[in-house]
Amino acid sequence: MGAGFASADIVIEGERFAAVDPQGTAATAADGQVLDASGCYVVPGLIDLHFHGCVGHDFCDGTEEAIDAIARHEASCGVTAICPATMTYPEDVLAPIMDAAASYEAKRDGAALVGINMEGPYISPGNIGAQNPAYLHLPDEAMFRRLQERSGNLIKLVDVAPEVDGALDFIRSVSSGVRVSIAHTQADYDTACAAIEAGARQMTHLCNAMPPLHHRKPGPIGAAFDHSEVMPELIADGVHIHPSMVRLLFAAFGADRVILISDSMMATGLDDGEYSLGGQDVTVRGNVATLRSGTIAGSATDLMACVRVAVRDMGIPLDAAVRAASANPARALGLEGERGSIEVGKIADAVVLDENLRVRHVILRGELLG
């Protein structure tokens, strides 16, 4: 067993973990199906709180069909709970997306829809990334609350560039009811600190679409480090951040603060080709997705694959990478009482990985996926 892992029998009753027995006697006493995971790792179902789509569908399609396809593919990859992200769009486009999410019910073989990550449109034109600049909007509390109502209070994260007009007031007004993440920003250290003091608690895809860490200008990365309550997202797909920087950030922030995300777009799970993201054309070659300008446009890698890359190619310990993709996002979303770890009473989402960290089995809400 790797560091942080122990041998145990796991008993599931209904949709919940009923026992975790390190003595290895529980399975012989249990009635029902027994799954032999000898020589494997059993990890909690992963939680992706920042991604856009997969298998030819985008969350912003705003349809039950799209959410179904996304949820089923994610579950098959061991991602058992999802908080997909919107793109930068006007309110009249975002509203029906919220309606679709509010009415959605998880299918037997699909990941649970546990939230919405509202990535746009309250971001900076100076660090737009793959977002569409045509639809930028200054932070607007009334607009946000209308969308939150349409979603049935499913918006769990809202992204803000703290330097744009009205951002700090917006953060102060909404942060008691939704988690605010600093994103797509040109903020300096002091401005980022002001946003954190106003209530921001997360950093969207740290290092990407923000000023870099500099020894005299630490910027938002330094501000996040200096505030222990802030959790940084990292895209460990091998494209967005150099392995050395991923190792540095895990060491600096600690494995209890880092959140691994995929930021995957609709090409994930499909062949190379031409796709779209936020109304802009995207070319995918291998695991690299780019706009025509060459700007990286999300990823073509699911979260479980990011965990494998983090462990095998970047030297992150398996238990730390798994925690960053399960327990930490659960805590960020306020779901730590229900998800994110294999503990008695929690929802029975688990993934059996072989010695190469490939998915062998997925247990979703207590049932073995076929």
Side-chain angles (χ1 to χ4, degrees):
M1 286 287 152
F5 286 84
S7 296
D9 283 344
I10 300 168
V11 179
I12 295 170
E13 294 179 0
E15 293 190 351
R16 303 276 172 169
F17 293 116
V20 180
D21 179 12
Q23 303 304 315
T25 59
T28 58
D31 295 326
Q33 183 178 12
V34 176
L35 179 64
D36 184 2
S38 301
C40 296
Y41 297 100
V42 182
V43 303
L46 305 190
I47 302 170
D48 199 344
L49 57 66
H50 187 153
F51 78 108
H52 298 278
C54 53
V55 291
H57 294 274
D58 191 294
F59 178 61
C60 287
D61 294 347
T63 66
E64 181 178 7
E65 175 189 10
I67 301 175
D68 267 346
I70 291 168
R72 286 191 170 102
H73 180 76
E74 293 296 315
S76 75
C77 298
V79 181
T80 56
I82 55 175
C83 178
T86 57
M87 292 292 288
T88 292
Y89 281 120
E91 184 175 358
D92 63 346
V93 175
L94 291 171
I97 298 167
M98 303 301 168
D99 293 341
S103 62
Y104 184 73
E105 295 183 7
K107 307 306 187 290
R108 183 197 63 79
D109 56 349
L113 179 66
V114 296
I116 297 167
N117 182 339
M118 189 172 158
E119 189 176 3
Y122 309 140
I123 58 178
S124 169
N127 234 329
I128 197 71
Q131 301 284 333
N132 194 328
Y135 303 126
L136 288 176
H137 199 293
L138 292 177
D140 185 329
E141 180 183 355
M143 171 188 170
F144 169 76
R145 295 199 184 281
R146 288 192 296 269
L147 290 169
Q148 182 69 293
E149 183 176 3
R150 295 283 287 263
S151 77
N153 291 313
L154 262 180
I155 301 174
K156 303 300 182 183
L157 287 160
V158 61
D159 289 6
V160 180
E163 74 274 19
V164 301
D165 289 346
L168 296 181
D169 287 340
F170 176 86
I171 295 169
R172 292 187 193 97
S173 296
V174 306
S175 59
S176 62
V178 67
R179 190 172 179 88
V180 177
S181 189
I182 294 174
H184 289 273
T185 178
Q186 290 188 310
D188 60 15
Y189 174 86
D190 291 335
T191 304
C193 286
I196 295 166
E197 290 160 8
R201 291 295 178 266
Q202 197 152 309
M203 301 292 291
T204 296
H205 43 53
L206 195 77
C207 297
N208 297 112
M210 66 179 60
L213 185 65
H214 185 277
H215 60 287
R216 285 191 297 273
K217 298 178 181 179
I221 299 173
F225 172 75
D226 279 345
H227 292 80
S228 61
E229 66 272 31
V230 176
M231 302 177 77
E233 303 171 2
L234 297 182
I235 310 172
D237 62 347
V239 175
H240 282 77
I241 313 177
H242 192 280
S244 179
M245 182 60 76
V246 173
R247 289 189 290 272
L248 185 154
L249 293 169
F250 262 91
F253 284 90
D256 287 330
R257 289 174 67 185
V258 174
I259 298 172
L260 287 182
I261 63 168
S262 72
D263 201 15
S264 68
M265 48 84 69
M266 64 164 56
T268 304
L270 299 178
D271 294 333
D272 292 356
E274 305 300 317
Y275 298 92
S276 68
L277 180 67
Q280 300 185 92
D281 293 334
V282 176
T283 298
V284 175
R285 298 288 181 268
N287 67 338
V288 181
T290 56
L291 301 180
R292 288 177 177 172
S293 65
T295 298
I296 296 175
S299 86
T301 308
D302 65 77
L303 184 58
M304 186 63 79
C306 288
V307 168
R308 282 195 294 273
V309 170
V311 175
R312 297 193 313 199
D313 301 338
M314 298 177 170
I316 303 303
L318 177 58
D319 62 323
V322 169
R323 197 182 324 162
S326 57
N328 295 353
R331 193 167 78 251
L333 295 171
L335 302 174
E336 64 271 32
E338 290 281 285
R339 302 178 183 275
S341 60
I342 298 174
E343 296 182 69
V344 173
K346 290 191 176 183
I347 293 171
D349 288 342
V351 187
V352 180
L353 302 174
D354 67 18
E355 60 183 5
N356 296 313
L357 307 185
R358 294 288 175 181
V359 174
R360 182 173 288 185
H361 301 289
V362 176
I363 295 94
L364 183 65
R365 297 183 290 276
E367 293 190 13
L368 183 65
L369 283 187

